[in-house]
Amino acid sequence: MEIVAFGVQADERALLEKAFEGHHQVRSLDVPVNRDTAAIAHGYEIVSSSVNADLGADVLQSLAIGGTKMIAQRSTGFNNIDLEAAADLGMTIGRVSHYSPYAVAEFAWGLALAVNRRIVRATNRTRNFDFRLDGLMGRDLRGRTAGVIGTGRIGEAFTRIAHGFGMDLLGWDLAENPNCVALGMKYVGQEQLFARSDLITLHVPLLEATRHLVDAAALAAMKDDAILVNSSRGGLVDSVALVDTLKTGKLAGVGLDVYEEEAGLFFFDKSLEVMGDDTLARLMTFPNVLVTSHQAYFTEDAVSQIIDATVRNVEDYLAHRSNENMLVTRGQLQAAER
């Protein structure tokens, strides 16, 4: 069977095609599946999508008309998929329930350290042979407080690194992680976590209950010299409120690997175009803000695990089997808790 895979990164393509080799043929495309590209999938029973796909009801309808019956998304998040519409159309939807948590946790720490120690600014200076230290002073993290919003696999991995730094640990989640508690983490309410933490990191899925979890009130509750890191989903942070907060001089730094309006921007070369997103453009003018393009997951280990899970999802679909990755099976909406 031939499968069409959308949103395939150059470094991902060889791994994806090798994983399906001998079983199925893969047509790899670098464009995401959305309203404009859905017609490309006509005639393909199985479509593999990327995290930046637009799989709303109208796109799913177009895919179904073209003969698509199964979507294998190569990501953990599924907030971009209308699951109820998929169930009504009798489609099967699979995702990747988990992959290396260390990829995201380590990258989140990379952002935190780069922001704290002004590494990007320092590198830009030294490339111009400017070796001054003015404006590059950071802070020791040992003895300071890390606040972890979401203490699942990734949050736990981040917590273990924070423990290694000798930080005090605060956590918030719907359920306590005993492994984090064993490391000394104290679970508190969100408001307390925002107010007491020197470093705040987000590791929860994007749901209606978590959208703009970091809003104007949360930002106001934070310490003036707090560091905020988001390597989860862009919609967790109210970007307009963040800009307004940064304009007042509050927050020592912000590291963002995701942005709530990243679709159509991230993963593409926009260097020759006028940036039409005023909020993102403003965010990138702040010297204490570091923005990367949704790459926290992008390690060889994690991508290989994502692809292996995608292959299993396809094989299970073809064998009429279900597994823990299936969100919708034969038109039935499944429990989809992350």
Side-chain angles (χ1 to χ4, degrees):
M1 177 177 291
E2 188 175 12
I3 299 165
V4 61
F6 288 87
V8 179
Q9 301 298 316
D11 293 336
E12 176 190 12
R13 181 169 183 165
L15 294 171
L16 181 65
E17 293 178 354
K18 183 177 180 181
F20 278 104
E21 190 176 9
H23 303 282
H24 307 287
Q25 207 171 12
V26 179
R27 180 185 178 191
S28 297
L29 305 174
D30 59 1
V31 295
V33 59
N34 53 36
R35 292 182 182 87
D36 298 326
T37 61
I40 299 173
H42 283 203
Y44 290 90
E45 180 178 344
I46 300 175
V47 168
S48 180
S49 58
S50 59
V51 68
N52 60 343
D54 174 6
L55 293 169
D58 55 342
V59 178
L60 291 173
Q61 177 73 32
S62 177
L63 291 171
I65 290 172
T68 298
K69 298 179 180 179
M70 194 266 182
I71 294 174
Q73 177 143 297
R74 304 185 310 280
S75 74
T76 300
F78 51 89
N79 54 282
N80 61 319
I81 307 173
D82 189 328
L83 297 180
E84 291 187 3
D88 291 340
L89 291 166
M91 301 179 82
T92 294
I93 307 293
R95 54 118 179 209
V96 179
S97 59
H98 63 274
Y99 54 86
S100 168
Y102 311 108
V104 179
E106 290 171 5
F107 192 86
W109 265 106
L111 288 175
L113 293 172
V115 168
N116 179 43
R117 300 306 300 269
R118 317 290 193 258
I119 291 173
V120 174
R121 186 189 303 179
T123 302
N124 289 337
R125 281 189 188 178
T126 55
R127 284 185 182 276
N128 292 317
F129 302 103
D130 179 352
F131 300 105
R132 294 172 300 159
L133 298 182
D134 299 355
L136 300 183
M137 184 176 287
R139 294 176 294 168
D140 287 4
L141 293 174
R142 181 176 177 81
R144 288 189 161 83
T145 300
V148 184
I149 301 285
T151 56
R153 293 183 180 92
I154 297 172
E156 179 185 332
F158 187 96
T159 299
R160 290 188 181 281
I161 299 171
H163 181 262
F165 271 94
M167 300 188 75
D168 295 329
L169 305 170
L170 296 180
W172 177 88
D173 208 324
L174 297 180
E176 295 186 4
N177 183 333
N179 295 329
C180 292
V181 172
L183 292 170
M185 174 173 280
K186 296 179 180 178
Y187 280 82
V188 296
Q190 287 182 21
E191 189 172 340
Q192 276 196 67
L193 187 146
F194 290 136
R196 294 170 55 185
S197 299
D198 299 292
L199 168 61
I200 298 163
T201 183
L202 309 178
H203 300 294
V204 292
L206 179 60
L207 308 168
E208 281 308 309
T210 59
R211 185 175 298 277
H212 286 183
L213 182 149
V214 178
D215 56 10
L219 290 163
M222 293 179 192
K223 295 181 178 181
D224 289 346
D225 58 356
I227 292 172
L228 173 66
V229 174
N230 185 13
S231 58
S232 184
R233 289 291 181 266
L236 299 176
V237 177
D238 184 337
S239 303
V240 174
L242 179 59
V243 168
D244 290 340
T245 298
L246 288 164
K247 284 164 65 175
T248 69
K250 185 168 184 169
L251 300 183
V254 176
L256 302 174
D257 184 51
V258 287
Y259 172 63
E260 59 181 325
E261 301 297 336
E262 68 182 57
L265 293 174
F266 284 18
F267 306 148
F268 297 100
D269 181 1
K270 299 292 182 179
S271 61
L272 298 179
E273 301 178 21
V274 174
M275 175 50 64
D277 190 317
D278 292 343
T279 302
L280 179 60
R282 185 67 177 96
L283 275 172
M284 298 187 68
T285 66
F286 293 102
N288 59 338
V289 174
L290 178 57
V291 178
T292 53
S293 51
H294 206 142
Q295 69 182 80
Y297 78 99
F298 206 56
T299 67
E300 183 178 338
D301 309 80
V303 172
S304 294
Q305 291 169 17
I306 289 169
I307 291 172
D308 288 346
T310 301
V311 171
R312 183 162 71 93
N313 291 344
V314 168
E315 295 299 341
D316 283 351
Y317 160 76
L318 293 172
H320 303 289
R321 295 188 299 260
S322 186
N323 64 46
E324 73 280 3
N325 291 327
M326 299 300 187
L327 303 175
V328 181
T329 306
R330 297 190 183 92
Q332 297 299 313
L333 191 61
Q334 305 296 308
E337 293 300 324
R338 185 174 178 177

